[in-house]
Amino acid sequence: WYAVTSEDGSLSDYSSADFVKAMHARGIEVWPLVSDFGMKEEIDEGSILSSYESRRTLITNIMNEIKLYGYDGINIDFEKIKADYSGDYIQFIRELSVECRRAEVVLSVDN
């Protein structure tokens, strides 16, 4: 549903309010995916994750989408993480998890 599109933490958005509404009407929770596999080659994922400001922007964008569409959770699927910035990725997950707990939504992480 979402992919990181720039080093400032912007996201592409392929969400559908009608789909979320239909799933909720059936009693089905909605946890959209945020991925890095739609990311352009020239975007440096390490610089996104190592920058507090970029992480904050990315987290704010994710949380805004959760609130806008009423998601029950969010699923993070970053598959291009390199060892040299893996600690920054863990910090991103920590920071996002705090926001998700505050919003009472589930944070799911693929590995």
Side-chain angles (χ1 to χ4, degrees), residues 72-109:
D72 306 288
I74 195 79
N75 177 252
I76 304 298
D77 188 5
F78 285 7
E79 301 198 7
K80 298 179 181 182
I81 303 299
K82 295 186 171 116
D84 55 331
Y85 56 84
S86 60
D88 297 320
Y89 170 71
I90 297 297
Q91 184 60 29
F92 162 71
I93 295 299
R94 282 184 191 125
E95 293 168 3
L96 180 58
S97 71
V98 169
E99 297 301 323
C100 286
R101 275 193 305 273
R102 285 183 185 151
E104 300 180 349
V105 296
V106 175
L107 172 60
S108 167
V109 179

Side-chain angles (χ1 to χ4, degrees), residues 38-92:
M39 188 181 297
K40 296 177 185 173
E41 295 278 329
E42 62 270 11
I43 297 174
D44 179 11
E45 190 167 26
S47 68
I48 297 168
L49 297 172
S50 65
S51 164
Y52 174 78
E53 292 79 17
S54 293
R55 283 195 318 267
R56 258 336 304 154
T57 299
L58 180 55
I59 290 167
T60 298
N61 289 339
I62 291 169
M63 297 311 297
N64 286 343
E65 293 296 306
I66 288 171
K67 291 173 191 166
L68 178 65
Y69 290 99
Y71 299 141
D72 306 288
I74 195 79
N75 177 252
I76 304 298
D77 188 5
F78 285 7
E79 301 198 7
K80 298 179 181 182
I81 303 299
K82 295 186 171 116
D84 55 331
Y85 56 84
S86 60
D88 297 320
Y89 170 71
I90 297 297
Q91 184 60 29
F92 162 71

